[in-house]
Amino acid sequence: MTILTNRRTLLKGATAVAAVTAAGKFPMPAIAQGAPLKVGFMLPYTGTFAKLGKFIDDAFRLNVEQRGGKLGGRTVEFVQVDDESEPAKAADNMNRLVGREKVDVVVGTVHSGVAMGMVKVARDNNTMLIIPNAGANEATGPMCAPNIWRTSFTNWQPANPMGKVMYDAGHRNVMTITWRYAAGQQSVESFKETFLKAGGKVMEELWLPFPQVEFQPLITQIATRKPDAVFCFFAGGGAVKFVKDYAAAGLRQSVPLYGTGFLTDGTLQAQGADAEGLKTTLHYADDLDNPANKAFLTAFKKKTGQDGDVYAVQGYDSAALLHIGLEAVKGDFGARDAMVKAMGAAKIDSPRGPISFSRANNVVQHIYLREAKGGVNRYVSIAHANLADPATGCRLAS
Ligand code: PHB
């Protein structure tokens, strides 16, 4: 496993190291299948989203290992950069990967604001970018491009079915709470779209800056105003603390808490009993009863000693998508048009269920209603089957 010793340090991945070791002192010369394909991971390896980045990285590598260290017949070499979930550093980090490290493809990132910076650079220099988490709607909306792909979700997707779920549960007057940045704002907007349409009312929207976790004053406002329920978007370390603080305030019974599934994904162990019974919507559930999910969870556990989650699934599927593209062109990364065409036609038997890709290059997938029980995000129902983002503003031809 490759470890970032310093957050501003780039380290070569395990494959490259193995090649150097196997050849003795020097990297092995390019052999029949051509030079290694260089994949640049631009992910958060520190901060509130550190675990999310690590799981994406681990699962992408797992997929490559399962193909004998290759994608589309090309040996894969990895380079990592810690983006620190810091939008101000996004362009520099991206330029380092593309300019100095000369990667063929960038896989990243988690944070919507950082992703927007990456998308701008990728559009300028036509770098192939696969987004394995960040939901910024624009990346596959007005900023869509043939070289920009997303295997995760738009912020619109997992939040949209929740309006109806909460209305049908009898909630009429709700409050929302989230971080004030693209993912939080777009999740709340999407939830409101369906909740208001059903006839519900939003009494108040509460915000705090990303990645702050001083939830107490806002939770006090919820206790004072007594809405029927609360919708939230939080993820990673922040989600762990929010769920614990909300339970500690004694509000779980009187003001039920709902959110997108990031609230409880990869976090249940740390949240313990405080997460029990939380209902969320997401494109994954731990106990999805399909062979791909079972095989994936077993393999991920074997590799990392940890239970896979939605972030790992997204990393795993990013490698699968890249493989499909490369296989169609026999590893020739220069045959970009044919590669993109094959990616657009991809149908992947993902651990999350069947997925395909829209004309905006965003994933089309089921959104599940789940309930946290005994440390597992259990499948309850399909909240919306094969949900495609509206991709408003995307001008790619279908
Ligand atoms: C985002 O910033 O787009 C984001 C981050 C973490 C998540 C989901 C979305 O879990």
Side-chain angles (χ1 to χ4, degrees), residues 310-324:
V310 71
Y311 307 104
V313 169
Q314 293 166 176
Y316 192 73
D317 290 344
S318 297
L321 178 64
L322 188 54
H323 171 75
I324 288 170

Side-chain angles (χ1 to χ4, degrees), residues 49 52 109-113 133-136 153 155 179 181-184 187 210 233-236 262-263 310-311:
F49 291 158
L52 288 53
T109 189
V110 169
H111 183 285
S112 274
N133 184 76
F153 55 90
N155 290 323
W179 284 309
Y181 86 110
S187 300
F210 175 87
F233 165 88
F234 290 110
F262 310 113
L263 186 67
V310 71
Y311 307 104

